[in-house]
Amino acid sequence: MKVYSNDDVRSDALQDQRIAIIGYGSQGRAHAQNLRDSGFDVVTGVRKGGKGWTNARADKIETAEPTEAVKGADLIAILTPDMAQEAVWKETIAPHAKEGSALLFAHGFSIHYGRVQPRADMDVVLVAPKGPGDLVRREFIRGRGVPALFAVKQDATETARARAMAYAKGIGGAAGGLIETTFAEETETDLFGEQAVLCGGAKELVKAGYQTLVDAGYQPEVAYFECMHELKLIVDLFYEGGISKMHDFISETAKYGAVASGPRIITEETRERMREVLRDIQSGNFARDWILENQAGKPRYTAMLNADRNHPIEKTGAALRERMAWLKSPTNA
């Protein structure tokens, strides 16, 4: 596997080409500002008077109504939420995008699951930074960059790959390191990581640990510190140096407990549940369920989300965090 750096990328692949950013949320805002600062011609397609329009104007990014932004663009980056992309494609982009333009995504969901079916004359590419928009912007300002994945689904102009890499370099991805992938691999691994480990798995592990201690008669506040608060300390070690750095910085007792008891928690049964989650993602069952849930008005999603927000650990944590001055911004401290 090759990791591409700035020296491997031809910035002129997008020279004299206009880039339209559709959606000015976390990623859209960072991409637009970084591309502008990299010398590219950028316009953001946002509704006049809306939050995105106001933020883009404040950031000194050229603005236009989405349809107008699309009409003159050589590359169109769809950075709206996944469930909005089908409508954005059908109503705003497909009728107005010029021939030979490129369609770029930061996540492959809409293409991989057939929600968006681009015209044959268009390039279809992916550039997915491995970090939130705020980090993408902050690292770029510091002269560094967040690593990114890139992929090509459709190469109508025979310049799709070069365009994707140039865009990735423009937002700082090549400074952090570019890795080539496919739409399928990016989509399926991203969804799996979110569900089984980063968001779903970690959340359920924290809640289960907290409830186990509280049910055994321990104080909720102490259970919160042990099962949620201190998790950040361990995740930071993982982030900075992997499992080895964690072992280097925790006590011998903690190390022994980790290697002896960890496999008692994540068992073969747990791994089979993970494989089930992955099969649902690969088969499209998860995507179909999420699409149908949106079409129904998200009743099940809302109920499950509220159950998380109303879990006892949230009340305990909120009270404790009020005393943690370092979590407050300087203006609120």
Side-chain angles (χ1 to χ4, degrees), residues 239-293:
Y239 186 74
E240 294 164 6
I243 294 171
S244 295
K245 184 164 184 176
M246 180 199 72
H247 284 316
D248 290 342
F249 279 79
I250 62 177
S251 70
E252 287 291 313
T253 303
K255 275 197 278 282
Y256 178 69
V259 296
S261 297
R264 298 169 62 192
I265 303 301
I266 305 301
T267 63
E268 179 55 32
E269 182 180 354
T270 312
R271 286 187 285 275
E272 178 52 32
R273 298 291 82 75
M274 287 185 169
R275 288 189 284 268
E276 285 180 4
V277 168
L278 182 57
R279 286 194 291 269
D280 278 345
I281 292 167
Q282 293 171 326
S283 68
N285 285 340
F286 167 77
R288 283 189 291 272
D289 182 51
W290 179 221
I291 292 164
L292 290 172
E293 181 69 17

Side-chain angles (χ1 to χ4, degrees), residues 113-270:
Y113 294 117
R115 300 271 288 167
V116 171
Q117 299 181 1
R119 301 188 325 233
D121 65 272
M122 302 181 75
D123 290 341
V124 182
V125 299
L126 169 87
V127 174
K130 302 315 293 175
D134 181 61
L135 183 64
V136 171
R137 180 59 178 162
R138 281 190 283 117
E139 287 300 292
F140 180 90
I141 290 171
R142 292 170 179 164
R144 304 183 300 203
V146 173
L149 305 179
F150 76 98
V152 175
K153 181 68 175 180
Q154 187 167 288
D155 186 9
T157 68
E158 298 185 355
T159 63
R161 189 171 182 272
R163 282 167 137 179
M165 294 181 76
Y167 182 102
K169 180 179 180 179
I171 64 171
L178 284 178
I179 296 175
E180 191 162 13
T181 183
T182 65
F183 272 72
E185 183 176 63
E186 186 278 333
T187 304
E188 292 171 2
T189 57
D190 185 76
L191 292 174
F192 176 81
E194 291 169 349
Q195 295 174 32
V197 182
L198 305 176
C199 305
K203 168 181 67 71
E204 292 303 317
L205 188 64
V206 165
K207 285 165 53 182
Y210 171 88
Q211 203 62 54
T212 299
L213 289 176
V214 171
D215 290 348
Y218 298 101
Q219 296 179 75
E221 294 79 7
V222 175
Y224 172 85
F225 279 123
E226 295 304 327
C227 296
M228 180 178 278
H229 178 81
E230 293 192 24
L231 182 62
K232 182 186 186 304
L233 309 177
I234 302 304
V235 170
D236 283 349
L237 294 173
F238 284 155
Y239 186 74
E240 294 164 6
I243 294 171
S244 295
K245 184 164 184 176
M246 180 199 72
H247 284 316
D248 290 342
F249 279 79
I250 62 177
S251 70
E252 287 291 313
T253 303
K255 275 197 278 282
Y256 178 69
V259 296
S261 297
R264 298 169 62 192
I265 303 301
I266 305 301
T267 63
E268 179 55 32
E269 182 180 354
T270 312

Side-chain angles (χ1 to χ4, degrees), residues 96-114:
H96 303 292
K98 65 185 183 181
E99 185 174 347
S101 56
L103 195 60
L104 181 143
F105 297 83
H107 178 41
F109 188 100
S110 293
I111 292 293
H112 184 54
Y113 294 117

